[in-house]
Amino acid sequence: MVTEISLNTICGHKTKIIATKEGKSTHIHIKSTCKKLRKWGTHFDMEMKDFMGGPENILSQKSAESPLTPTCLVPAAVMNACWLENGMISKNLAREMGKMEIIFDKLE
């Protein structure tokens, strides 16, 4: 199966994350208009231990090697794609929701 997540972020870049379960690993492919993100990594595999967060996971290592802005939503979206692809979040629930949002309610 395949999980695809698209991001349209405040920085103006468009990103698509594609997660595919392959045996015990989940392969991540990222397509983006962001140069920083392309340097951060567009093809890598994540193991189950990486899904739980912490300083030893691959996303933390990538961020240490090639930092993204603190507001970048891509690492969180990669994690959501992995959780969806591995049955840790219901795909039916995600389909029902359709999207997650950050809503800027009040800006003075």
Side-chain angles (χ1 to χ4, degrees), residues 3-102:
T3 296
E4 292 186 16
I5 295 176
S6 296
L7 296 172
N8 297 318
T9 55
I10 197 165
C11 61
H13 290 290
K14 298 200 181 309
T15 301
K16 180 169 279 212
I17 299 160
I18 303 161
T20 309
K21 186 162 174 51
E22 299 173 355
K24 292 184 178 185
S25 296
T26 301
H27 180 72
I28 301 298
H29 178 130
I30 300 173
K31 298 176 185 178
S32 182
T33 59
C34 177
K35 289 180 184 178
K36 279 186 178 182
L37 191 55
R38 289 195 303 262
K39 184 179 178 188
W40 184 78
T42 57
H43 293 280
F44 53 93
D45 291 324
M46 292 186 61
E47 306 290 328
M48 188 60 74
K49 66 178 177 62
D50 296 316
F51 301 167
M52 299 305 144
E56 301 299 317
N57 79 31
I58 192 166
L59 299 182
S60 296
Q61 293 168 6
K62 290 184 149 314
S63 292
E65 294 166 7
S66 185
L68 299 172
T69 62
T71 59
C72 183
L73 298 175
V74 171
V78 166
M79 194 65 76
N80 275 273
C82 285
W83 277 48
L84 282 159
E85 188 61 13
N86 286 275
M88 299 164 74
I89 297 175
S90 165
K91 285 189 177 184
N92 289 333
L93 176 62
R95 268 187 219 98
E96 244 177 69
M97 290 293 298
K99 63 183 174 181
M100 295 191 311
E101 300 174 298
I102 293 177

